[in-house]
Short mmCIF file of all heavy atoms in Angstrom, two decimals:
data_model
loop_
_atom_site.label_atom_id
_atom_site.label_comp_id
_atom_site.label_asym_id
_atom_site.label_seq_id
_atom_site.Cartn_x
_atom_site.Cartn_y
_atom_site.Cartn_z
N HIS A 328 -10.23 -22.49 -11.40
CA HIS A 328 -9.59 -22.30 -10.09
C HIS A 328 -10.55 -22.72 -8.99
O HIS A 328 -11.81 -22.65 -9.16
CB HIS A 328 -9.15 -20.88 -9.90
CG HIS A 328 -7.98 -20.52 -10.72
ND1 HIS A 328 -6.67 -20.67 -10.25
CD2 HIS A 328 -7.85 -20.03 -11.97
CE1 HIS A 328 -5.79 -20.26 -11.19
NE2 HIS A 328 -6.52 -19.88 -12.26
N PRO A 329 -10.06 -23.14 -7.84
CA PRO A 329 -10.93 -23.66 -6.77
C PRO A 329 -11.82 -22.56 -6.16
O PRO A 329 -11.58 -21.36 -6.41
CB PRO A 329 -9.96 -24.18 -5.71
CG PRO A 329 -8.67 -23.49 -5.97
CD PRO A 329 -8.62 -23.26 -7.46
N ASN A 330 -12.80 -23.00 -5.39
CA ASN A 330 -13.77 -22.06 -4.82
C ASN A 330 -13.09 -21.03 -3.89
O ASN A 330 -13.51 -19.87 -3.85
CB ASN A 330 -14.83 -22.89 -4.05
CG ASN A 330 -15.97 -22.03 -3.61
OD1 ASN A 330 -16.64 -21.34 -4.45
ND2 ASN A 330 -16.25 -22.02 -2.34
N THR A 331 -12.09 -21.47 -3.14
CA THR A 331 -11.45 -20.56 -2.21
C THR A 331 -10.74 -19.42 -2.95
O THR A 331 -10.77 -18.25 -2.49
CB THR A 331 -10.41 -21.31 -1.33
OG1 THR A 331 -9.55 -22.07 -2.18
CG2 THR A 331 -11.09 -22.22 -0.34
N THR A 332 -10.11 -19.74 -4.04
CA THR A 332 -9.46 -18.67 -4.88
C THR A 332 -10.52 -17.70 -5.41
O THR A 332 -10.28 -16.47 -5.35
CB THR A 332 -8.69 -19.33 -6.01
OG1 THR A 332 -7.65 -20.16 -5.50
CG2 THR A 332 -8.03 -18.24 -6.88
N ALA A 333 -11.60 -18.22 -5.90
CA ALA A 333 -12.64 -17.39 -6.49
C ALA A 333 -13.25 -16.48 -5.44
O ALA A 333 -13.50 -15.27 -5.67
CB ALA A 333 -13.74 -18.23 -7.13
N LEU A 334 -13.46 -17.01 -4.23
CA LEU A 334 -14.02 -16.19 -3.14
C LEU A 334 -13.06 -15.10 -2.71
O LEU A 334 -13.47 -13.96 -2.42
CB LEU A 334 -14.39 -17.09 -1.97
CG LEU A 334 -15.63 -17.93 -2.09
CD1 LEU A 334 -15.78 -18.91 -0.92
CD2 LEU A 334 -16.90 -17.06 -2.19
N THR A 335 -11.75 -15.41 -2.67
CA THR A 335 -10.77 -14.42 -2.27
C THR A 335 -10.72 -13.28 -3.26
O THR A 335 -10.70 -12.09 -2.87
CB THR A 335 -9.41 -15.08 -2.16
OG1 THR A 335 -9.43 -16.12 -1.18
CG2 THR A 335 -8.34 -14.07 -1.74
N ILE A 336 -10.70 -13.61 -4.57
CA ILE A 336 -10.64 -12.57 -5.59
C ILE A 336 -11.88 -11.71 -5.55
O ILE A 336 -11.80 -10.46 -5.56
CB ILE A 336 -10.49 -13.19 -6.98
CG1 ILE A 336 -9.28 -14.09 -7.06
CG2 ILE A 336 -10.39 -12.10 -8.05
CD1 ILE A 336 -7.97 -13.45 -6.74
N SER A 337 -13.04 -12.33 -5.46
CA SER A 337 -14.31 -11.58 -5.45
C SER A 337 -14.40 -10.68 -4.19
O SER A 337 -14.85 -9.51 -4.33
CB SER A 337 -15.50 -12.49 -5.52
OG SER A 337 -15.53 -13.37 -4.40
N ALA A 338 -13.96 -11.17 -3.05
CA ALA A 338 -14.01 -10.34 -1.85
C ALA A 338 -12.98 -9.19 -1.91
O ALA A 338 -13.25 -8.07 -1.43
CB ALA A 338 -13.68 -11.22 -0.59
N SER A 339 -11.83 -9.44 -2.54
CA SER A 339 -10.84 -8.42 -2.69
C SER A 339 -11.33 -7.25 -3.50
O SER A 339 -10.99 -6.09 -3.26
CB SER A 339 -9.54 -8.98 -3.33
OG SER A 339 -9.00 -10.03 -2.59
N LEU A 340 -12.18 -7.51 -4.51
CA LEU A 340 -12.64 -6.48 -5.41
C LEU A 340 -13.94 -5.83 -5.00
O LEU A 340 -14.45 -4.95 -5.72
CB LEU A 340 -12.80 -7.09 -6.82
CG LEU A 340 -11.56 -7.75 -7.43
CD1 LEU A 340 -11.86 -8.45 -8.72
CD2 LEU A 340 -10.46 -6.71 -7.62
N ALA A 341 -14.48 -6.20 -3.83
CA ALA A 341 -15.78 -5.68 -3.39
C ALA A 341 -15.64 -4.31 -2.74
O ALA A 341 -16.17 -4.06 -1.66
CB ALA A 341 -16.41 -6.67 -2.42
N GLN A 342 -14.93 -3.39 -3.38
CA GLN A 342 -14.75 -2.05 -2.89
C GLN A 342 -14.15 -1.20 -4.00
O GLN A 342 -13.71 -1.76 -5.01
CB GLN A 342 -13.84 -2.02 -1.66
CG GLN A 342 -12.66 -3.01 -1.63
CD GLN A 342 -11.44 -2.52 -2.46
OE1 GLN A 342 -11.33 -1.31 -2.76
NE2 GLN A 342 -10.53 -3.39 -2.78
N ILE A 343 -14.19 0.11 -3.86
CA ILE A 343 -13.56 1.01 -4.82
C ILE A 343 -12.71 2.02 -4.03
O ILE A 343 -12.94 2.21 -2.85
CB ILE A 343 -14.59 1.72 -5.75
CG1 ILE A 343 -15.60 2.52 -4.91
CG2 ILE A 343 -15.32 0.70 -6.62
CD1 ILE A 343 -16.55 3.37 -5.75
N GLY A 344 -11.79 2.66 -4.75
CA GLY A 344 -10.89 3.54 -4.03
C GLY A 344 -10.28 4.63 -4.85
O GLY A 344 -10.94 5.36 -5.54
#
Side-chain angles (χ1 to χ4, degrees):
H328 288 270
N330 189 56
T331 51
T332 299
L334 285 172
T335 301
I336 303 301
S337 61
S339 301
L340 302 174
Q342 38 81 17
I343 59 175

